[in-house]
Amino acid sequence: MPIDFDRGLLSDRIYDLVRAMIKDSTLKPGEQVVESQLARRLSVSQAPVREALKRLTHDGLVTHIRHHGSFVTEFSKREADDARIGRMALEGMAARVAHGRIDDTTRARLTAIVDSMHDAAERHDIAAFRETDFEFHRAVIEASGNVYLPRMWDILEPSLRSMHVLSDPGYDGDWRVVAETHRGLIASLDGGDPDEASDLFVAHAMGLATHPEHPIGPAMNRAIAAARAE
């Protein structure tokens, strides 16, 4: 599978490619990533592949085991719970920062994503629904305008995917209703109270009702305590 890398550092392009393969489960948790094989597959030398894998290891997406090699990171339930708590904090902050800053282009993008979620729900295509769900939440985080929040999301996302924290395939309810809840999330970003927007996104991350208690802090404390008790 030769790839035209044209300009830019090879290691950057390989990093982006392997990260995408991990995110879409082309490379699955626990799967070994063999440096020499990947270099041959991409028709490049091993040096840029090695550099890309070092970055992915630093990000936590790849785990290097001495004398054994590099593997796509596997996440325990405890780590998934920690990622869920991290998501609550991250999305609450992103909503607070993005509140009142959503322009027409971003609003149209978010609305189009929700429409795509509805289409996927109508087709019972849960894989497509899941991808658009992740796309929506990342788009909100990007809309915050804070350059660090998307980087934090990149660290959390593999664990969220691995443990089906978003769009659990085992959910047996109406996926169209799930899609529609995201319109309320968009509306909250245009509302008059950044606290309510933040609380709504936190409640959504916790899987709670669309009308969360205010303030959301006590509910977050209960969720954290429950995760620690398991």
Side-chain angles (χ1 to χ4, degrees):
M1 186 181 66
I3 292 180
D4 180 14
F5 287 106
D6 47 57
R7 297 181 179 180
L9 293 173
L10 280 174
S11 62
D12 288 344
R13 306 294 291 276
I14 295 168
Y15 168 85
D16 289 339
L17 176 66
V18 177
R19 186 176 69 172
M21 293 170 71
I22 293 172
K23 289 172 64 175
D24 68 12
S25 296
T26 299
L27 290 172
K28 295 178 171 53
E31 184 173 346
Q32 186 170 12
V33 184
V34 182
E35 184 180 297
S36 59
Q37 292 179 357
L38 189 57
R40 285 196 300 272
R41 182 179 180 184
L42 302 178
S43 299
V44 298
S45 68
Q46 288 185 221
V49 174
R50 187 177 306 117
E51 183 62 30
L53 291 179
K54 286 181 180 178
R55 289 179 59 191
L56 290 162
T57 299
H58 180 268
D59 290 348
L61 301 181
V62 168
T63 299
H64 181 74
I65 302 176
R66 191 176 181 184
H67 303 311
H68 289 83
S70 297
F71 301 82
V72 178
T73 300
E74 294 184 278
F75 299 95
S76 66
K77 185 181 184 304
R78 173 62 182 271
E79 289 170 317
D81 287 339
D82 286 347
R84 185 179 288 107
I85 292 169
R87 178 196 172 194
M88 288 157 46
L90 180 57
E91 291 212 66
M93 178 56 67
R96 183 179 299 277
V97 177
H99 181 269
R101 300 181 57 184
I102 303 298
D103 58 23
D104 290 342
T105 299
T106 301
R107 191 178 297 104
R109 178 190 177 194
L110 292 172
T111 300
I113 294 172
V114 175
D115 290 341
S116 295
M117 293 173 73
H118 268 287
D119 291 342
E122 290 287 350
R123 300 193 310 272
H124 302 289
D125 186 345
I126 304 309
F129 187 100
R130 193 164 184 247
E131 288 307 310
T132 50
D133 196 359
F134 273 100
E135 184 183 357
F136 177 91
H137 289 281
R138 182 181 177 87
V140 171
I141 288 171
E142 291 174 348
S144 72
N146 185 302
V147 298
Y148 289 98
L149 298 187
R151 298 181 194 177
M152 296 176 188
W153 179 261
D154 284 340
I155 294 172
L156 289 173
E157 185 174 328
S159 181
L160 298 175
R161 285 178 176 273
S162 177
M163 299 298 290
H164 302 304
V165 175
L166 267 74
S167 299
D168 184 351
Y171 176 69
D172 59 2
D174 191 335
W175 288 96
R176 293 169 298 183
V177 174
V178 177
E180 195 60 26
T181 61
H182 290 73
R183 296 198 197 278
L185 294 175
I186 298 173
S188 75
L189 297 174
D190 287 324
D193 189 344
D195 288 338
E196 288 190 8
S198 178
D199 286 359
L200 186 59
F201 271 84
V202 171
H204 181 82
M206 294 169 66
L208 299 180
T210 55
H211 299 288
E213 61 185 78
H214 296 291
I216 198 69
M220 291 181 67
N221 290 337
R222 291 195 297 273
I224 293 169
R228 291 291 180 264
E230 293 178 357

